[in-house]
Amino acid sequence: MTIDEGSAEARAQGWRTLAALHARLEDALERALQRAHGLSVSEYGVLDVLSREGGECLRMSQLAQAVVLSQSATTRLVGRLEQRALVERYLCPDDRRGIYTRLTPTGLAALRDARPTHDEALAATLDAAGELPELAPLVSALAVLSAH
């Protein structure tokens, strides 16, 4: 095996480890948020991103990029949230070229209710993953990153 092959395998193993941790986290968050609040991880993500925008205009394309979904998936997701009165779409007064999305007061309340559930499930899942030898280094690296 050449040095390049070894580094390629190391990168592939790193990716598999990251994917395994991500899948664990997503599954735990999905179950916790659905059970307690009737929200999916993606729905929570949209509410969270919009809450961090502080009422500013956020184009649908920006929202799609922030929640790492396709434009069409984001549009469908926002439509479902809009039906539940958690978000609203509008034309931004400063830029009428596109449709923007913002959190409603009901959406902000839903996010505030769901955030402790999200944070507790995230912490518990990371703690459990940190006990697994194959995931512990990645969990430790995340702790270092979050400390900065």
Side-chain angles (χ1 to χ4, degrees), residues 9-60:
E9 178 54 33
R11 282 191 302 272
Q13 181 57 43
W15 167 245
R16 288 189 294 271
T17 302
L18 179 61
L21 181 59
H22 179 269
R24 246 176 213 278
L25 291 168
E26 184 128 4
D27 181 59
L29 292 170
E30 186 75 33
R31 283 185 282 114
L33 289 169
Q34 280 289 351
R35 182 177 48 248
H37 306 283
L39 289 171
S40 71
V41 172
S42 295
E43 290 168 336
Y44 178 89
V46 166
L47 299 179
D48 183 57
V49 166
L50 291 173
S51 76
R52 294 174 195 283
E53 287 302 312
E56 298 296 317
C57 298
L58 190 61
R59 290 183 74 113
M60 291 291 286

Side-chain angles (χ1 to χ4, degrees), residues 59-101:
R59 290 183 74 113
M60 291 291 286
S61 59
Q62 293 169 307
L63 181 58
Q65 187 175 15
V67 295
V68 193
L69 291 173
S70 70
Q71 185 88 26
S72 61
T74 302
T75 299
R76 289 190 302 274
L77 180 57
V78 167
R80 289 193 304 271
L81 291 171
E82 193 173 34
Q83 288 175 346
R84 294 167 60 190
L86 300 176
V87 302
E88 62 185 0
R89 290 184 256 199
Y90 66 101
L91 293 175
C92 183
D94 299 332
D95 179 2
R96 295 196 171 268
R97 293 176 295 158
I99 296 177
Y100 292 75
T101 305

Side-chain angles (χ1 to χ4, degrees), residues 85-140:
L86 300 176
V87 302
E88 62 185 0
R89 290 184 256 199
Y90 66 101
L91 293 175
C92 183
D94 299 332
D95 179 2
R96 295 196 171 268
R97 293 176 295 158
I99 296 177
Y100 292 75
T101 305
R102 70 176 154 225
L103 205 53
T104 64
T106 302
L108 183 58
L111 176 64
R112 285 183 180 149
D113 288 345
R115 185 166 275 138
T117 300
H118 174 275
D119 294 349
E120 288 166 16
L122 180 62
T125 306
L126 284 170
D127 287 347
E131 298 298 317
L132 301 172
E134 66 274 18
L135 297 178
L138 184 54
V139 172
S140 294

